[in-house]
Amino acid sequence: MQNKNKEIAQRVVKHNDGKINSVYYTACGGSLVDMYPSYYFLQAEAKNLSTGWYTSNEFDHVTPKKLGANSIVFICSHSGNTPEAVEAARIAQEKGAVTIALTFNPQAKLLNYADEKIVYEWGNELEVVNNPMAIMLDITSQILAALEDYDKLPEFADGFAKIDTIVANAVKQVQPRTKAFAQKYQNEPLFYVLGSGPTFGHTYGFAICSLMEMQWLDAAAIHSGEYFHGPFEVTDKDKPYIVMESLGRTRDLDERAIKFLNKYAAKVEVVDAKELGLDLIDSEVAEYFNPVLFYTVMCEYRAKLADIHQHSLDVRRYMGKVEY
Amino acid sequence: MQNKNKEIAQRVVKHNDGKINSVYYTACGGSLVDMYPSYYFLQAEAKNLSTGWYTSNEFDHVTPKKLGANSIVFICSHSGNTPEAVEAARIAQEKGAVTIALTFNPQAKLLNYADEKIVYEWGNELEVVNNPMAIMLDITSQILAALEDYDKLPEFADGFAKIDTIVANAVKQVQPRTKAFAQKYQNEPLFYVLGSGPTFGHTYGFAICSLMEMQWLDAAAIHSGEYFHGPFEVTDKDKPYIVMESLGRTRDLDERAIKFLNKYAAKVEVVDAKELGLDLIDSEVAEYFNPVLFYTVMCEYRAKLADIHQHSLDVRRYMGKVEY
């Protein structure tokens, strides 16, 4: 990845004499989703650092008492002016934390409360390494390596070097099946979306952003591990399920759900990161790249739905149109 | 609350010479939901302790590296034999953590891996202080007070002394409206359930356990703060929304959603913890009792739906009936 990310990581870990004990992630909706892989990575790999992942308005109203001069806070807002996210950055600085702000908008209000400013590129889903999700994951892994004995940075670097190619190939690979998916499911009013591990953020994101926000379809994200503890009781031949089958340690959870769905459901779309080439990345870190791959691949699924629905992905009835 | 809880807290904080740095919660489905208030409390109030909340199969497959001799791990399984939860307790002990296991079953396999064993009572929703959610919240607040300078234990004790009366009054108070709710919404195939703060676990729980598992209805939980960042685009006059309006610091988030729903939706059921008497508890801690109140009140909602649907809350088609 870029030197810029490394430099940011090296600066923020020196904050408050290098006594960093916590890394927080706060944003809203799609930006919050993009933070999940980094948050998950720290939850899994950190031996000392603690972490938190908050929708910004909750972070603003119930600011964790641990937040302070020993904290790094990531804040992301595509428009850069989401009031809750801007307020989160303000609070974080007020408490003495060092803030890393990401936005697409160089004039963002968010940047007023940013110790580190990242104005990212957008729109080319094939250069994922310029997207906020990948940038945050890169910086986060560098932070952990700087503060603890995490030693998988070479594998991460190799993963970032390969991921654009993997994603580009996957996008080509899924063209026929995404068209068939849209054809088959064009009249479905509701989808359940399953996933696990680092992918679960985008499982949720596909439900709330791609289906609910962009296609006005009913949707619910279900963790593959939780599926068997309640949600599976609604399963039948009529209900459509999309399963993001991850590569990595939680693959067993997804496979268990798929096995059940193949028996009791009839409308099941499995999107398999392994089959789409993610295993080209070293198995020590590949699982953290699942969401990077899934994000772009699932953009193809939603684009085909938008085409067949003749419902542009840009149409909103409330967001940015009415007061709320 | 009971002396037993206090004694457990006093014992576990002495584990590994009192060097506790983390408290984990792991379970599946409804038991996981019951852990959310305790997890949320630590996220909000702890200055040093870190915490995590995991569906057990993910905890088993991606065990956090921080888990070790300085960790306390809560595991809960009503049957006591949920394989993923039993395995989580085994792993926790293997890593040197001290385990607190909660179950309804005195013969539970889970108890084989329990340093502290809690066999709780069940079935009397009006004695909530005997339920695992309240027991865990009590022990957790005592753990925090023992390890840090958290000084609201008297307010917590007062809350636990009052909560059964508040809940009993609330149950009486909601009888007419729960009947009207079931009458009005008896033919709805899908519900969105909104909530925030410590309540969000039970927002999710009402969706996956009460509606999906027990009534085979489609459902999705939406965080009130996230609602405006995607999910609200499906809002219309035909879709039913249930909002758990919390007392406490995140009430603003719920009110914002309610205001919007009152304008753009037509089928909105607001369940307001304040109107139901939760403000009898000291405002320093009242918000942590929201889910305790909501759980029992929402049991009334689901019971009335079960009556009108003639679909017993105990009927399952897969859970415990087929292989999975």
Side-chain angles (χ1 to χ4, degrees):
Chain A
M1 283 284 280
Q2 298 152 349
N3 276 331
K4 198 186 157 193
N5 294 345
K6 190 175 178 181
E7 289 161 14
I8 290 172
Q10 287 178 341
R11 279 196 298 269
V12 295
V13 298
K14 291 185 188 133
H15 184 70
N16 200 35
D17 300 330
K19 292 183 287 183
I20 297 298
N21 64 14
S22 51
V23 183
Y24 290 98
Y25 300 87
T26 180
C28 306
S31 295
L32 182 62
V33 165
D34 277 348
M35 295 174 149
Y36 190 81
S38 294
Y39 160 71
Y40 190 94
F41 166 79
L42 283 186
Q43 269 204 316
E45 304 291 349
K47 291 178 183 165
N48 295 302
L49 276 177
S50 69
T51 184
W53 181 74
Y54 292 87
T55 188
S56 289
N57 217 4
E58 189 144 305
F59 182 88
D60 299 344
H61 283 76
V62 188
T63 309
K65 289 231 171 83
K66 192 187 285 173
L67 178 74
N70 298 329
S71 306
I72 297 167
V73 182
F74 284 85
I75 312 99
C76 182
S77 164
H78 191 67
S79 73
N81 296 321
T82 311
E84 304 98 303
V86 175
E87 175 65 3
R90 191 195 65 73
I91 290 171
Q93 278 199 336
E94 186 181 82
K95 298 279 182 190
V98 59
T99 60
I100 304 174
L102 297 93
T103 178
F104 178 60
N105 174 10
Q107 270 77 50
K109 287 182 195 162
L110 178 61
L111 297 175
N112 296 335
Y113 305 105
D115 293 304
E116 300 289 344
K117 300 173 177 61
I118 300 173
V119 179
Y120 55 75
E121 297 170 36
W122 191 255
N124 183 355
E125 270 89 20
L126 297 180
E127 286 193 10
V128 297
V129 294
N130 294 317
N131 282 3
M133 177 174 28
I135 293 171
M136 288 188 279
L137 183 59
D138 186 26
I139 297 175
T140 298
S141 63
Q142 310 251 10
I143 287 173
L144 187 65
L147 293 172
E148 302 189 6
D149 58 353
Y150 185 72
D151 63 357
K152 306 294 176 217
L153 286 193
E155 290 81 359
F156 257 106
D158 180 63
F160 282 119
K162 287 175 178 165
I163 188 69
D164 275 347
T165 306
I166 293 168
V167 168
N169 287 339
V171 165
K172 273 183 224 153
Q173 198 175 338
V174 300
Q175 288 312 307
R177 72 183 78 167
T178 53
K179 277 174 205 148
F181 170 87
Q183 190 71 37
K184 182 171 174 188
Y185 295 111
Q186 59 181 302
N187 296 318
E188 296 293 343
L190 172 143
F191 289 88
Y192 285 107
V193 193
L194 270 69
S196 67
T199 301
F200 188 66
H202 272 86
T203 306
Y204 166 72
F206 191 73
I208 68 152
C209 296
S210 300
L211 296 176
M212 298 179 83
E213 177 182 335
M214 297 182 180
Q215 291 295 292
W216 305 353
L217 293 168
D218 292 314
I222 304 287
H223 191 288
S224 307
E226 283 283 283
Y227 173 65
F228 296 98
H229 300 282
F232 74 156
E233 284 287 331
V234 302
T235 306
D236 65 31
K237 303 282 181 199
D238 291 330
K239 290 211 209 301
Y241 286 82
I242 300 166
V243 187
M244 299 180 181
E245 187 180 6
S246 289
L247 186 72
R249 287 176 286 175
T250 64
R251 188 172 177 86
D252 282 356
L253 280 63
D254 303 327
E255 282 182 346
R256 184 181 176 207
I258 292 165
K259 190 176 163 196
F260 186 90
L261 286 166
N262 283 340
K263 194 159 180 185
Y264 296 103
K267 299 175 176 175
V268 183
E269 181 79 11
V270 175
V271 189
D272 178 358
K274 187 177 177 192
E275 186 227 348
L276 294 174
L278 197 66
D279 56 357
L280 285 171
I281 295 179
D282 190 291
S283 65
E284 292 280 356
V285 300
E287 64 189 24
Y288 299 114
F289 288 86
N290 279 300
V292 183
L293 171 63
F294 279 127
Y295 172 69
T296 306
V297 167
M298 296 313 294
C299 281
E300 296 300 311
Y301 277 87
R302 78 183 184 197
K304 304 304 188 299
L305 277 180
D307 288 347
I308 211 155
H309 289 150
Q310 297 189 285
H311 180 125
S312 160
L313 295 169
D314 298 323
V315 177
R316 302 289 181 276
R317 46 179 152 178
Y318 306 121
M319 190 179 279
K321 294 212 161 175
V322 304
E323 266 190 59
Y324 50 90
Chain B
M1 284 283 280
Q2 297 153 348
N3 275 333
K4 196 186 158 194
N5 295 345
K6 190 175 176 181
E7 288 161 15
I8 290 172
Q10 287 177 341
R11 279 195 298 269
V12 294
V13 297
K14 289 185 190 134
H15 184 69
N16 201 34
D17 300 330
K19 292 183 286 183
I20 297 298
N21 64 14
S22 50
V23 183
Y24 290 98
Y25 301 88
T26 180
C28 306
S31 295
L32 182 62
V33 164
D34 277 349
M35 295 175 149
Y36 191 80
S38 294
Y39 161 71
Y40 190 94
F41 166 79
L42 284 185
Q43 269 206 317
E45 304 291 348
K47 291 176 183 166
N48 296 302
L49 275 178
S50 69
T51 184
W53 180 75
Y54 292 85
T55 189
S56 289
N57 217 4
E58 190 144 306
F59 182 89
D60 299 344
H61 283 77
V62 190
T63 309
K65 290 232 172 82
K66 192 187 285 173
L67 178 74
N70 298 328
S71 306
I72 296 167
V73 182
F74 285 85
I75 312 99
C76 182
S77 165
H78 189 67
S79 73
N81 296 322
T82 311
E84 304 99 301
V86 175
E87 174 67 2
R90 191 196 64 74
I91 290 172
Q93 277 198 338
E94 185 181 80
K95 298 280 183 189
V98 57
T99 59
I100 304 174
L102 297 94
T103 178
F104 178 60
N105 174 9
Q107 270 76 48
K109 287 182 195 161
L110 178 62
L111 297 175
N112 295 336
Y113 305 103
D115 293 304
E116 300 289 344
K117 300 173 177 62
I118 300 174
V119 180
Y120 55 76
E121 298 170 33
W122 191 256
N124 182 355
E125 270 89 20
L126 297 179
E127 285 192 12
V128 295
V129 295
N130 293 320
N131 282 2
M133 175 174 29
I135 293 170
M136 288 189 278
L137 184 59
D138 186 27
I139 296 174
T140 298
S141 63
Q142 309 250 11
I143 287 172
L144 187 65
L147 293 172
E148 302 189 7
D149 58 353
Y150 184 73
D151 63 357
K152 305 295 176 216
L153 286 193
E155 289 81 359
F156 258 106
D158 180 63
F160 281 119
K162 287 174 178 165
I163 189 68
D164 275 348
T165 306
I166 292 168
V167 167
N169 287 338
V171 166
K172 273 183 222 151
Q173 199 176 335
V174 300
Q175 289 311 308
R177 72 183 77 168
T178 52
K179 278 175 205 147
F181 170 86
Q183 190 71 36
K184 183 172 173 187
Y185 294 110
Q186 60 181 301
N187 296 318
E188 296 293 343
L190 173 143
F191 289 88
Y192 285 108
V193 193
L194 270 69
S196 67
T199 301
F200 188 66
H202 271 86
T203 306
Y204 166 72
F206 192 72
I208 68 150
C209 295
S210 300
L211 297 175
M212 297 179 84
E213 177 181 336
M214 296 182 181
Q215 291 295 291
W216 306 352
L217 293 168
D218 291 314
I222 304 287
H223 191 287
S224 306
E226 284 282 282
Y227 174 64
F228 296 98
H229 301 281
F232 75 156
E233 283 288 330
V234 302
T235 306
D236 65 30
K237 303 282 182 196
D238 291 330
K239 290 210 209 304
Y241 286 83
I242 299 166
V243 187
M244 300 181 181
E245 187 180 6
S246 288
L247 186 72
R249 288 177 285 175
T250 63
R251 188 172 177 85
D252 282 356
L253 280 63
D254 303 327
E255 283 182 345
R256 185 180 175 207
I258 292 165
K259 191 176 163 197
F260 186 90
L261 286 166
N262 283 341
K263 195 160 179 184
Y264 296 102
K267 298 175 176 175
V268 184
E269 182 79 11
V270 175
V271 188
D272 178 358
K274 187 177 177 191
E275 186 228 348
L276 294 175
L278 197 67
D279 57 357
L280 284 171
I281 296 178
D282 191 291
S283 64
E284 292 279 357
V285 300
E287 64 191 22
Y288 299 114
F289 288 86
N290 279 301
V292 184
L293 171 62
F294 279 127
Y295 172 68
T296 306
V297 167
M298 297 313 294
C299 282
E300 296 300 312
Y301 277 87
R302 78 183 185 198
K304 304 304 188 298
L305 277 180
D307 288 346
I308 212 155
H309 289 151
Q310 298 188 285
H311 181 125
S312 160
L313 295 169
D314 298 323
V315 177
R316 302 290 181 275
R317 46 180 151 178
Y318 306 120
M319 191 179 279
K321 295 211 162 177
V322 304
E323 264 191 61
Y324 50 90

PDB file of all heavy atoms in Angstrom, chain A residues 304-318:
ATOM      1  N   LYS A 304     -26.957  -5.235 -11.103  1.00  0.00           N
ATOM      2  CA  LYS A 304     -27.848  -6.020 -11.975  1.00  0.00           C
ATOM      3  C   LYS A 304     -29.290  -5.952 -11.480  1.00  0.00           C
ATOM      4  O   LYS A 304     -30.223  -5.931 -12.280  1.00  0.00           O
ATOM      5  CB  LYS A 304     -27.369  -7.475 -12.049  1.00  0.00           C
ATOM      6  CG  LYS A 304     -25.936  -7.652 -12.519  1.00  0.00           C
ATOM      7  CD  LYS A 304     -25.649  -7.017 -13.853  1.00  0.00           C
ATOM      8  CE  LYS A 304     -24.253  -7.402 -14.353  1.00  0.00           C
ATOM      9  NZ  LYS A 304     -23.140  -6.967 -13.471  1.00  0.00           N
ATOM     10  N   LEU A 305     -29.462  -5.931 -10.157  1.00  0.00           N
ATOM     11  CA  LEU A 305     -30.822  -5.744  -9.624  1.00  0.00           C
ATOM     12  C   LEU A 305     -31.369  -4.385 -10.046  1.00  0.00           C
ATOM     13  O   LEU A 305     -32.536  -4.263 -10.443  1.00  0.00           O
ATOM     14  CB  LEU A 305     -30.816  -5.823  -8.086  1.00  0.00           C
ATOM     15  CG  LEU A 305     -30.863  -7.197  -7.426  1.00  0.00           C
ATOM     16  CD1 LEU A 305     -30.855  -7.032  -5.905  1.00  0.00           C
ATOM     17  CD2 LEU A 305     -32.091  -8.007  -7.850  1.00  0.00           C
ATOM     18  N   ALA A 306     -30.518  -3.356  -9.947  1.00  0.00           N
ATOM     19  CA  ALA A 306     -30.944  -2.004 -10.325  1.00  0.00           C
ATOM     20  C   ALA A 306     -31.364  -1.954 -11.791  1.00  0.00           C
ATOM     21  O   ALA A 306     -32.381  -1.344 -12.141  1.00  0.00           O
ATOM     22  CB  ALA A 306     -29.816  -1.001 -10.066  1.00  0.00           C
ATOM     23  N   ASP A 307     -30.586  -2.620 -12.643  1.00  0.00           N
ATOM     24  CA  ASP A 307     -30.911  -2.657 -14.075  1.00  0.00           C
ATOM     25  C   ASP A 307     -32.282  -3.280 -14.304  1.00  0.00           C
ATOM     26  O   ASP A 307     -33.131  -2.715 -14.993  1.00  0.00           O
ATOM     27  CB  ASP A 307     -29.865  -3.485 -14.849  1.00  0.00           C
ATOM     28  CG  ASP A 307     -28.535  -2.761 -14.971  1.00  0.00           C
ATOM     29  OD1 ASP A 307     -28.497  -1.545 -14.688  1.00  0.00           O
ATOM     30  OD2 ASP A 307     -27.535  -3.423 -15.334  1.00  0.00           O
ATOM     31  N   ILE A 308     -32.471  -4.440 -13.735  1.00  0.00           N
ATOM     32  CA  ILE A 308     -33.699  -5.173 -14.032  1.00  0.00           C
ATOM     33  C   ILE A 308     -34.915  -4.529 -13.380  1.00  0.00           C
ATOM     34  O   ILE A 308     -36.028  -4.581 -13.902  1.00  0.00           O
ATOM     35  CB  ILE A 308     -33.539  -6.668 -13.649  1.00  0.00           C
ATOM     36  CG1 ILE A 308     -34.382  -7.533 -14.581  1.00  0.00           C
ATOM     37  CG2 ILE A 308     -33.877  -6.928 -12.195  1.00  0.00           C
ATOM     38  CD1 ILE A 308     -33.874  -8.954 -14.724  1.00  0.00           C
ATOM     39  N   HIS A 309     -34.658  -3.861 -12.223  1.00  0.00           N
ATOM     40  CA  HIS A 309     -35.750  -3.120 -11.568  1.00  0.00           C
ATOM     41  C   HIS A 309     -36.001  -1.762 -12.225  1.00  0.00           C
ATOM     42  O   HIS A 309     -36.967  -1.093 -11.871  1.00  0.00           O
ATOM     43  CB  HIS A 309     -35.404  -2.853 -10.092  1.00  0.00           C
ATOM     44  CG  HIS A 309     -35.427  -4.069  -9.213  1.00  0.00           C
ATOM     45  ND1 HIS A 309     -34.623  -4.184  -8.103  1.00  0.00           N
ATOM     46  CD2 HIS A 309     -36.156  -5.217  -9.261  1.00  0.00           C
ATOM     47  CE1 HIS A 309     -34.863  -5.354  -7.504  1.00  0.00           C
ATOM     48  NE2 HIS A 309     -35.770  -6.001  -8.197  1.00  0.00           N
ATOM     49  N   GLN A 310     -35.092  -1.366 -13.100  1.00  0.00           N
ATOM     50  CA  GLN A 310     -35.094   0.014 -13.617  1.00  0.00           C
ATOM     51  C   GLN A 310     -35.212   1.020 -12.466  1.00  0.00           C
ATOM     52  O   GLN A 310     -35.999   1.965 -12.492  1.00  0.00           O
ATOM     53  CB  GLN A 310     -36.229   0.202 -14.635  1.00  0.00           C
ATOM     54  CG  GLN A 310     -36.031  -0.708 -15.851  1.00  0.00           C
ATOM     55  CD  GLN A 310     -36.999  -0.405 -16.963  1.00  0.00           C
ATOM     56  OE1 GLN A 310     -38.180  -0.750 -16.878  1.00  0.00           O
ATOM     57  NE2 GLN A 310     -36.513   0.260 -17.993  1.00  0.00           N
ATOM     58  N   HIS A 311     -34.429   0.740 -11.436  1.00  0.00           N
ATOM     59  CA  HIS A 311     -34.405   1.566 -10.225  1.00  0.00           C
ATOM     60  C   HIS A 311     -32.942   1.940  -9.996  1.00  0.00           C
ATOM     61  O   HIS A 311     -32.157   1.148  -9.463  1.00  0.00           O
ATOM     62  CB  HIS A 311     -34.968   0.750  -9.049  1.00  0.00           C
ATOM     63  CG  HIS A 311     -35.006   1.486  -7.735  1.00  0.00           C
ATOM     64  ND1 HIS A 311     -36.163   1.635  -6.996  1.00  0.00           N
ATOM     65  CD2 HIS A 311     -34.048   2.121  -7.033  1.00  0.00           C
ATOM     66  CE1 HIS A 311     -35.894   2.319  -5.890  1.00  0.00           C
ATOM     67  NE2 HIS A 311     -34.624   2.620  -5.889  1.00  0.00           N
ATOM     68  N   SER A 312     -32.572   3.130 -10.431  1.00  0.00           N
ATOM     69  CA  SER A 312     -31.178   3.563 -10.326  1.00  0.00           C
ATOM     70  C   SER A 312     -30.677   3.480  -8.888  1.00  0.00           C
ATOM     71  O   SER A 312     -31.405   3.761  -7.937  1.00  0.00           O
ATOM     72  CB  SER A 312     -31.050   5.003 -10.815  1.00  0.00           C
ATOM     73  OG  SER A 312     -29.863   5.580 -10.317  1.00  0.00           O
ATOM     74  N   LEU A 313     -29.406   3.115  -8.756  1.00  0.00           N
ATOM     75  CA  LEU A 313     -28.797   3.037  -7.423  1.00  0.00           C
ATOM     76  C   LEU A 313     -28.703   4.407  -6.753  1.00  0.00           C
ATOM     77  O   LEU A 313     -28.450   4.495  -5.552  1.00  0.00           O
ATOM     78  CB  LEU A 313     -27.403   2.402  -7.529  1.00  0.00           C
ATOM     79  CG  LEU A 313     -27.376   0.934  -7.994  1.00  0.00           C
ATOM     80  CD1 LEU A 313     -25.953   0.498  -8.328  1.00  0.00           C
ATOM     81  CD2 LEU A 313     -27.973   0.009  -6.933  1.00  0.00           C
ATOM     82  N   ASP A 314     -28.889   5.464  -7.522  1.00  0.00           N
ATOM     83  CA  ASP A 314     -28.757   6.819  -6.969  1.00  0.00           C
ATOM     84  C   ASP A 314     -30.067   7.441  -6.500  1.00  0.00           C
ATOM     85  O   ASP A 314     -30.066   8.553  -5.968  1.00  0.00           O
ATOM     86  CB  ASP A 314     -28.129   7.743  -8.023  1.00  0.00           C
ATOM     87  CG  ASP A 314     -26.736   7.278  -8.413  1.00  0.00           C
ATOM     88  OD1 ASP A 314     -26.010   6.801  -7.517  1.00  0.00           O
ATOM     89  OD2 ASP A 314     -26.383   7.382  -9.600  1.00  0.00           O
ATOM     90  N   VAL A 315     -31.172   6.750  -6.720  1.00  0.00           N
ATOM     91  CA  VAL A 315     -32.466   7.335  -6.356  1.00  0.00           C
ATOM     92  C   VAL A 315     -32.701   7.230  -4.848  1.00  0.00           C
ATOM     93  O   VAL A 315     -32.510   6.172  -4.262  1.00  0.00           O
ATOM     94  CB  VAL A 315     -33.619   6.615  -7.094  1.00  0.00           C
ATOM     95  CG1 VAL A 315     -34.967   7.179  -6.656  1.00  0.00           C
ATOM     96  CG2 VAL A 315     -33.441   6.762  -8.593  1.00  0.00           C
ATOM     97  N   ARG A 316     -33.097   8.341  -4.240  1.00  0.00           N
ATOM     98  CA  ARG A 316     -33.479   8.337  -2.825  1.00  0.00           C
ATOM     99  C   ARG A 316     -34.823   9.053  -2.696  1.00  0.00           C
ATOM    100  O   ARG A 316     -35.110   9.967  -3.456  1.00  0.00           O
ATOM    101  CB  ARG A 316     -32.446   9.095  -1.969  1.00  0.00           C
ATOM    102  CG  ARG A 316     -31.046   8.558  -2.053  1.00  0.00           C
ATOM    103  CD  ARG A 316     -30.860   7.221  -1.359  1.00  0.00           C
ATOM    104  NE  ARG A 316     -29.470   6.787  -1.458  1.00  0.00           N
ATOM    105  CZ  ARG A 316     -28.950   6.128  -2.510  1.00  0.00           C
ATOM    106  NH1 ARG A 316     -29.699   5.813  -3.551  1.00  0.00           N
ATOM    107  NH2 ARG A 316     -27.675   5.789  -2.512  1.00  0.00           N
ATOM    108  N   ARG A 317     -35.607   8.599  -1.710  1.00  0.00           N
ATOM    109  CA  ARG A 317     -36.829   9.371  -1.472  1.00  0.00           C
ATOM    110  C   ARG A 317     -36.720  10.262  -0.238  1.00  0.00           C
ATOM    111  O   ARG A 317     -37.390  11.273  -0.145  1.00  0.00           O
ATOM    112  CB  ARG A 317     -38.055   8.474  -1.377  1.00  0.00           C
ATOM    113  CG  ARG A 317     -37.929   7.233  -0.529  1.00  0.00           C
ATOM    114  CD  ARG A 317     -39.258   6.455  -0.531  1.00  0.00           C
ATOM    115  NE  ARG A 317     -39.021   5.037  -0.332  1.00  0.00           N
ATOM    116  CZ  ARG A 317     -39.994   4.124  -0.259  1.00  0.00           C
ATOM    117  NH1 ARG A 317     -41.256   4.477  -0.368  1.00  0.00           N
ATOM    118  NH2 ARG A 317     -39.710   2.851  -0.084  1.00  0.00           N
ATOM    119  N   TYR A 318     -35.860   9.889   0.706  1.00  0.00           N
ATOM    120  CA  TYR A 318     -35.705  10.679   1.935  1.00  0.00           C
ATOM    121  C   TYR A 318     -34.287  11.241   2.096  1.00  0.00           C
ATOM    122  O   TYR A 318     -34.111  12.396   2.443  1.00  0.00           O
ATOM    123  CB  TYR A 318     -36.012   9.816   3.167  1.00  0.00           C
ATOM    124  CG  TYR A 318     -37.352   9.118   3.134  1.00  0.00           C
ATOM    125  CD1 TYR A 318     -37.441   7.721   3.207  1.00  0.00           C
ATOM    126  CD2 TYR A 318     -38.541   9.843   3.049  1.00  0.00           C
ATOM    127  CE1 TYR A 318     -38.663   7.074   3.193  1.00  0.00           C
ATOM    128  CE2 TYR A 318     -39.774   9.203   3.036  1.00  0.00           C
ATOM    129  CZ  TYR A 318     -39.824   7.820   3.102  1.00  0.00           C
ATOM    130  OH  TYR A 318     -41.032   7.177   3.088  1.00  0.00           O
TER     131      TYR A 318
END
